[in-house]
């Protein structure tokens, strides 16, 4: 399977020369409402299970409330890919009809992502699937709280380590009108205290870029530079 990334000529040069795929902070996406959509679904799932969380640990619920107030302390970075390599709306939306569609081997992406703490996850557009994904995320938190820990403030620690998972879940939930994009998202979520710029790009560490393919504009000839 090939996943595609739409970019400008400068972006193409940077990817080939690095070779790396850079991600963007979710707060600086072209459309910030994309994140707000997913985050609301996750928060709604938390609220639906709020009584259960409070019954297990009032400290856990207080920590959830604290993180909701200071969510900007968590850094999440996103890169967009699609299984549609020649989609008119993508040329129009990202490159104004110019630029390049770059194809990557999905196996290569998954291999390098796993080695560098990235997730590559298909975006969910269906309302019921989104709600189910958010519910699974909250169920994971509840399971951790029930399991417990020997730490004096173990419930707080459980929420802290779970919160990045909640953010990752929100980042792959997108409005249904965008379903034609067939998007997958490359996601990295950093610590609460600090992140390094080099943590926000997926670099080819296990092999050189295999099967790299380039499609220039929607109507020009497809060319390949695979090994």
């Amino acid at each position: 399977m090939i996943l595609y990334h739409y970019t400008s000529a400068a972006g193409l040069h940077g990817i080939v020369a690095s070779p790396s795929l850079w991600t963007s902070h979710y707060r600086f996406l072209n459309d910030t409402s994309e994140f707000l959509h997913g985050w609301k679904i996750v928060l709604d799932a938390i609220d639906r299970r709020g009584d259960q969380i409070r019954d297990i640990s009032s400290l856990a619920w207080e920590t959830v409330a604290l993180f909701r107030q200071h969510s900007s302390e968590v850094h999440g970075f996103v890169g967009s890919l699609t299984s549609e390599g020649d989609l008119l709306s993508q040329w129009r939306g990202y490159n104004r009809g110019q630029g390049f569609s770059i194809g990557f081997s999905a196996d290569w992406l998954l291999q390098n992502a796993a080695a560098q703490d990235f997730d590559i996850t298909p975006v969910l557009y269906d309302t019921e699937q989104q709600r189910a994904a958010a519910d699974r995320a909250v169920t994971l938190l509840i399971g951790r709280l029930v399991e417990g820990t020997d730490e004096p403030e173990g419930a707080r620690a459980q929420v802290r380590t779970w919160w990045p998972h909640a953010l990752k879940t929100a980042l792959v939930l997108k409005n249904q009108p965008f379903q034609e994009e067939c998007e997958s998202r490359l996601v990295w979520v950093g610590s609460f205290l600090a992140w390094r710029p080099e943590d926000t790009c997926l670099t080819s560490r296990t092999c050189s870029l295999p099967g790299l393919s380039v499609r220039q504009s929607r109507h020009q000839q497809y060319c390949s530079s695979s090994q």
Side-chain angles (χ1 to χ4, degrees):
M1 180 180 178
I2 299 294
L3 292 174
Y4 296 89
H5 174 69
Y6 289 79
T7 189
S8 64
L12 172 64
H13 179 268
I15 290 171
V16 174
S18 310
S20 300
L21 279 172
W22 286 89
T23 57
S24 301
H25 198 288
Y26 71 88
R27 294 184 179 276
F28 298 97
L29 296 175
N30 291 336
D31 183 359
T32 55
S33 68
E34 290 183 10
F35 170 71
L36 296 177
H37 170 81
W39 192 232
K40 182 180 185 303
I41 293 172
V42 172
L43 294 182
D44 287 346
I46 292 173
D47 289 337
R48 285 195 298 273
R49 308 286 289 277
D51 289 343
Q52 188 176 358
I53 295 172
R54 279 191 292 267
D55 288 343
I56 298 170
S57 170
S58 58
L59 178 60
W61 185 250
E62 292 171 5
T63 307
V64 167
L66 181 65
F67 283 151
R68 288 175 70 159
Q69 295 173 14
H70 301 282
S71 60
S72 61
E73 295 178 16
V74 184
H75 300 285
F77 294 81
V78 181
S80 294
L81 301 157
T82 176
S83 59
E84 298 291 336
D86 200 16
L87 190 61
L88 180 58
S89 64
Q90 300 302 284
W91 290 114
R92 189 168 52 224
Y94 290 98
N95 296 327
R96 298 180 182 178
Q98 304 297 318
F100 300 86
S101 171
I102 312 174
F104 295 92
S105 163
D107 289 340
W108 177 86
L109 287 170
L110 290 168
Q111 183 181 13
N112 282 272
Q116 298 172 60
D117 297 324
F118 281 85
D119 289 335
I120 297 181
T121 307
V123 169
L124 298 177
Y125 303 95
D126 179 77
T127 301
E128 292 303 317
Q129 290 181 352
Q130 291 178 350
R131 178 169 172 146
D135 285 339
R136 287 194 298 272
V138 178
T139 297
L140 176 63
L141 170 62
I142 291 173
R144 291 182 179 182
L145 293 173
V146 170
E147 182 179 338
T149 175
D150 294 332
E151 296 182 36
E153 291 192 337
R156 191 183 300 278
Q158 295 285 24
V159 174
R160 182 182 299 111
T161 58
W162 171 81
W163 203 254
H165 180 77
L167 179 59
K168 287 180 180 180
T169 300
L171 288 171
V172 296
L173 308 180
K174 199 167 179 179
N175 281 305
Q176 197 161 15
F178 296 101
Q179 188 167 358
E180 71 165 5
E181 296 177 359
C182 299
E183 184 179 350
S184 291
R185 283 195 159 172
L186 180 67
V187 178
W188 182 89
V189 175
S191 71
F192 291 88
L193 300 178
W195 58 272
R196 304 172 302 167
E198 58 267 30
D199 289 331
T200 65
C201 70
L202 180 67
T203 302
S204 176
R205 296 181 181 179
T206 59
C207 56
S208 59
L209 290 169
L212 174 65
S213 61
V214 178
R215 193 187 300 269
Q216 181 178 13
S217 86
R218 187 169 185 267
H219 300 293
Q220 293 189 19
Q221 185 177 3
Y222 173 89
C223 61
S224 173
S225 59
S226 60
Q227 290 184 332

